[in-house]
């Protein structure tokens, strides 16, 4: 029996909705096929964007969408992607399979997608191979309300009103595919480029600097010291690879308990990264003005056999659901500093929400976790007092449970719980302090195989069901979770 207390009257900060952000790159079948099919496609679409994908992303309440990359962003020249679609130049997607990029999905199409799903755009600009002028003009094109060369061009291309654009990334992975820069050099480049990312016509841009890869604490130190005063957010990327080896990352399906625990242990490493990067940020920014933005995270496995290795297509199982739930709980826990996160990626790439095949679409276990957890968006984080039992595997030890609780604007309390054990149930006795609860209900995601996943022939093999057997008595909520499961419990007055 696990005893837990939720202090419902003590808020521990706001869980930004942007922790539920997504990422869409021109990579493999993410944009083309996954999102964009073109207006003439037999696949039902709105202005060229798949209706099934729009519907699913709306249902998941995606708050913010990062685009066009990733590594693609630092080779992307935005002017190639505006104007009459069939006159747009074709280029090579050098990072991802060397395939042709026809630029049919560009600025207007991306911002239309954001409008259709109700997400805020987060655009990554090109520092690695682009110019300051090009970046300045892109922002002018999108946001200037008046007469100017870029605003006039936008109008000729069919958009009279400027768009609202809040989030702008000044480069991506500039320590690697974005130019192989040293932090000292990038810090100066950041300052120069960011100077010309202007606030036109009342639009306020939130500037995000390229941050560290994983545990490159030196990068964070230099960026905060040299450029911290010029940014609103600093990014950080961390991917969960079961083997930790980029040459053979591990398989997406067909794994055993060893790979289950190693993967969950590696994903829990996210907490150490957040704590250590935040400690450096605290030194330069004790008031936490600069947010830590985890704008790429998720699982990265060997690609699905028979698919293009440059397309990063992988299946998504119950294990990915646990990875999603654990990371979201961690982001909540550190919501004072972590104020945006963008899982990689939204459709058909890495730890995707959605997979497509021709006209067919399926929702992954990861999607279901995001949809179940959306109740935490913009809610107040609540303190939970409890001690998790531990699971030993090999020389390593991980907690059996990952938990988070919040109170939404209507006063409803939500408790999300992941049971990491592949074999053991978890039985809870939860005391609720500081609130009156009259009603409890829950949703559960689990399966009888650790690698359970949805396929196009069986798209509902794993999906949320109602959590049965919740008992509410004298302010105590009791429930039992099966092994390898993710649940969200709703408590209402
Ligand atoms: O998400 C795939 C790639 O991973 C991105 O393009 C890059 O930023 C990262 O290395």
């Amino acid at each position: 029996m696990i005893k837990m207390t939720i202090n419902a009257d003590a808020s521990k900060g706001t869980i930004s909705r942007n922790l539920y952000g997504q990422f869409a790159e021109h990579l493999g079948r993410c944009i083309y096929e996954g999102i964009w099919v073109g207006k003439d496609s037999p696949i039902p679409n709105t202005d060229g964007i798949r209706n099934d994908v729009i519907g699913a992303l709306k249902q998941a309440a995606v708050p913010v969408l990062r685009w066009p990359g990733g590594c693609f962003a630092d080779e992307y020249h935005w002017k190639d992607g505006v104007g009459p679609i069939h006159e747009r130049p074709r280029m090579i997607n050098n990072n991802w399979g060397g395939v042709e990029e026809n630029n049919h999905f560009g600025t207007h199409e991306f911002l239309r997608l954001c409008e259709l799903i109700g997400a805020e755009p987060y655009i990554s600009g090109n520092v690695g191979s682009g110019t300051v002028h090009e970046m300045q003009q892109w922002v002018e094109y999108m946001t200037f309300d008046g007469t100017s060369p870029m605003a006039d061009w936008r109008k000729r291309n069919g958009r009279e009103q400027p768009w609202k654009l809040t989030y702008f990334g000044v480069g991506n992975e500039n320590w690697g595919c974005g130019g192989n820069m040293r932090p000292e050099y990038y810090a100066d480049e950041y300052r120069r480029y960011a100077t010309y990312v202007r606030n036109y016509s009342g639009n306020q841009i939130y500037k995000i600097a390229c941050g560290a890869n994983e545990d490159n604490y030196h990068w964070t130190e230099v960026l905060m010291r040299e450029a911290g005063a010029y940014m609103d957010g600093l990014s950080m990327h961390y991917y969960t690879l079961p083997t930790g080896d980029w040459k053979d990352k591990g398989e997406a399906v067909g794994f055993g308990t060893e790979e289950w625990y190693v993967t969950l242990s590696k994903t829990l490493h996210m907490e150490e990264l957040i704590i250590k990067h935040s400690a450096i940020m605290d030194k330069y920014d004790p008031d936490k003005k600069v947010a830590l933005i985890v704008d790429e995270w998720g699982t990265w496995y060997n690609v699905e056999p028979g698919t293009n290795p440059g397309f990063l297509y992988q299946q998504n199982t119950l294990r990915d659901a646990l990875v999603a739930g654990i990371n979201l709980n961690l982001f909540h826990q550190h919501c004072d500093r972590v104020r945006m996160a963008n899982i990689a990626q939204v459709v058909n790439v890495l730890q995707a929400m959605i997979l497509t095949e021709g006209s067919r679409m399926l929702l992954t276990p990861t999607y279901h976790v995001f949809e179940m957890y959306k109740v935490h968006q913009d809610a107040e984080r609540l303190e939970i007092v409890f001690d998790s039992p531990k699971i030993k595997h090999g020389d390593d030890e991980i907690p059996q449970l990952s938990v988070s609780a919040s109170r939404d604007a209507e006063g409803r309390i939500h408790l999300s719980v992941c049971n990491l054990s592949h074999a053991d149930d978890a039985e809870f006795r939860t005391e609720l302090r500081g609130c009156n609860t009259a009603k409890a209900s829950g949703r559960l995601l689990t399966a009888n195989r650790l690698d359970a996943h949805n396929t196009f022939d069986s798209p509902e093999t794993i999906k949320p069901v109602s959590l049965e057997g919740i008992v509410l008595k004298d302010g105590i909520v009791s429930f039992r979770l099966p092994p390898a499961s993710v649940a969200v419990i709703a408590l209402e007055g």
Side-chain angles (χ1 to χ4, degrees), residues 329 332 373 376 384 402-405 414-418 487-489:
N329 287 345
H332 296 179
Y373 270 52
H376 288 299
I384 304 179
S402 157
V403 299
S404 184
H414 293 101
L415 168 66
S416 46
V417 188
C418 304
V488 175
I489 320 286

Side-chain angles (χ1 to χ4, degrees), residues 363-383:
L363 305 176
T364 65
T366 298
Y367 174 93
H368 291 306
V369 171
F370 271 71
E371 194 278 321
M372 287 161 68
Y373 270 52
K374 68 185 178 189
V375 290
H376 288 299
Q377 292 188 20
D378 289 339
E380 293 300 303
R381 183 172 85 81
L382 301 177
E383 184 181 61

Side-chain angles (χ1 to χ4, degrees), residues 94-375:
N94 288 307
N95 286 289
W96 306 116
V99 295
E100 181 184 281
E101 162 63 54
N102 63 18
N103 279 304
H104 285 189
F105 190 89
T107 304
H108 290 247
E109 292 75 22
F110 170 66
L111 293 166
R112 178 74 178 127
L113 165 66
C114 290
E115 280 170 358
L116 289 168
I117 63 173
E120 288 230 53
Y122 166 14
I123 288 191
S124 293
N126 180 347
V127 171
S129 70
T131 63
V132 173
H133 190 212
E134 190 179 349
M135 190 179 284
Q136 178 275 320
Q137 287 187 315
W138 199 5
V139 175
E140 178 188 324
Y141 184 92
M142 290 184 280
T143 62
F144 187 68
D145 191 8
T147 295
S148 82
M150 291 302 111
D152 292 352
W153 192 23
R154 180 192 73 228
K155 291 173 198 167
R156 287 200 300 280
N157 288 335
R159 173 81 186 195
E160 185 65 29
Q161 295 303 316
W163 289 277
K164 175 175 177 282
L165 173 68
T166 306
Y167 303 105
F168 195 88
V170 181
N172 167 74
E173 296 198 350
N174 301 95
W175 37 260
C177 63
N180 286 309
M181 300 176 194
R182 293 170 302 111
E184 293 79 5
Y185 180 78
Y186 172 73
D188 280 348
E189 285 293 87
Y190 171 81
R191 289 168 58 143
R192 188 164 76 100
Y193 277 73
T195 304
Y196 304 96
V197 174
R198 297 194 191 282
N199 291 326
Y200 291 112
S201 312
N203 185 69
Q204 283 291 320
I205 298 216
Y206 184 101
K207 296 175 196 175
I208 300 169
C210 161
N213 188 34
E214 303 185 0
D215 58 358
N216 185 348
Y217 301 114
H218 176 62
W219 185 278
T220 299
E221 179 85 38
V222 174
L223 262 289
M224 288 304 294
R225 188 181 68 223
E226 304 298 341
Y230 301 85
M231 64 180 74
D232 299 298
L234 180 64
S235 74
M236 194 267 281
H237 291 177
Y238 174 57
Y239 284 99
T240 301
L241 278 62
T243 62
D245 175 0
W246 284 96
K247 290 202 189 86
D248 181 9
K249 299 178 264 300
E251 302 305 325
V253 292
F255 52 83
T257 52
E258 176 58 21
E259 290 93 336
W260 169 269
Y261 285 117
V262 169
T263 306
L264 300 187
S265 175
K266 287 201 185 298
T267 219
L268 284 160
H269 179 56
M270 179 68 89
E271 180 153 40
E272 179 181 326
L273 295 172
I274 292 173
I275 290 171
K276 291 188 173 169
H277 284 291
S278 298
I280 297 167
M281 294 174 81
D282 285 348
K283 197 163 98 185
Y284 296 97
D285 174 33
D287 297 334
K288 301 188 195 296
K289 289 191 190 125
V290 180
L292 182 60
I293 309 269
V294 187
D295 58 13
E296 288 187 27
W297 68 275
T299 53
W300 194 324
Y301 308 122
N302 295 333
V303 296
E304 173 117 328
T307 63
N308 186 329
F311 282 14
L312 311 186
Y313 179 83
Q314 64 189 38
Q315 249 299 353
N316 194 294
T317 69
L318 177 58
R319 179 177 59 171
D320 295 87
L322 270 287
V323 166
I326 291 168
N327 279 283
L328 292 170
N329 287 345
L330 285 175
F331 298 150
H332 296 179
Q333 179 76 21
H334 297 279
C335 65
D336 58 338
R337 182 65 86 174
V338 184
R339 300 201 280 271
M340 190 197 290
N342 307 74
I343 190 169
Q345 299 193 4
V346 68
V347 189
N348 289 336
V349 170
L350 298 177
Q351 192 178 347
M353 301 288 113
I354 293 171
L355 301 178
T356 68
E357 186 181 80
S359 62
R360 300 199 286 179
M361 179 197 87
L362 65 80
L363 305 176
T364 65
T366 298
Y367 174 93
H368 291 306
V369 171
F370 271 71
E371 194 278 321
M372 287 161 68
Y373 270 52
K374 68 185 178 189
V375 290

